[in-house]
Amino acid sequence: MLVITLAKVVGELVGVEEWLMASLGASALLVFVLPGSPMAQPWAVIAGNTISAVIGIAVIGLVKEPLLAMPIAASFAILGMFVMRCLHPPAAAVALIVVLGHVTHFRYAFFPVMIDSILLVLAGAIYSNMTGKRYPNRPQ
């Protein structure tokens, strides 16, 4: 609820109608329920979602046929996350959402995707501190 509220406020401040990304719920599950997972760590959540959005937007700009663009965007998003060491499963859906929504502005990758991801990570850190869980997970 905190992330949704803050994202809406930020969206209104900057005059952007899209202020929430659809896959945020799946990202929240990893951050709040499995905070020790490598796929729930800040770099994975923020970079994975953002990279996938950028790739999805680039693909839809190059491949006009959505049925072809969807698997290409998802595949390259997974490859991009693998190369950048930020695997985050819900992020593959971000690339698909971009294609299905015909999102063509790279701004979408930064707001709402990157900003929502940052807000989610911050909310996860606050929650973890309040409940005594360790997040982000620091290698020992």
Side-chain angles (χ1 to χ4, degrees):
M1 190 162 173
L2 176 65
V3 173
I4 290 171
T5 303
L6 290 174
K8 180 143 177 61
V9 168
V10 171
E12 289 174 356
L13 287 174
V14 296
V16 175
E17 291 181 22
E18 309 97 2
W19 48 269
L20 192 62
M21 61 179 190
S23 63
L24 194 63
S27 293
L29 181 132
L30 288 172
V31 169
F32 289 99
V33 179
L34 299 169
S37 169
M39 296 178 187
Q41 299 312 301
W43 174 250
V45 175
I46 298 166
N49 282 328
T50 304
I51 287 167
S52 293
V54 168
I55 290 171
I57 295 165
V59 168
I60 197 66
L62 297 171
V63 181
K64 301 301 181 196
E65 174 55 46
L67 290 177
L68 199 55
M70 284 189 297
I72 292 171
S75 299
F76 277 99
I78 293 167
L79 177 62
M81 288 186 287
F82 183 76
V83 168
M84 296 300 294
R85 305 182 129 244
C86 58
L87 288 172
H88 183 66
V94 172
L96 294 174
I97 291 164
V98 164
V99 172
L100 288 171
H102 304 288
V103 177
T104 57
H105 300 287
F106 283 97
R107 173 202 47 80
Y108 182 84
F110 301 100
F111 185 77
V113 175
M114 186 177 76
I115 297 299
D116 284 358
S117 298
I118 291 168
L119 292 172
L120 177 64
V121 165
L122 291 173
I126 291 167
Y127 173 79
S128 292
N129 282 332
M130 290 172 37
T131 59
K133 293 181 183 176
R134 191 175 194 159
Y135 184 81
N137 193 17
R138 293 168 189 87
Q140 297 178 359

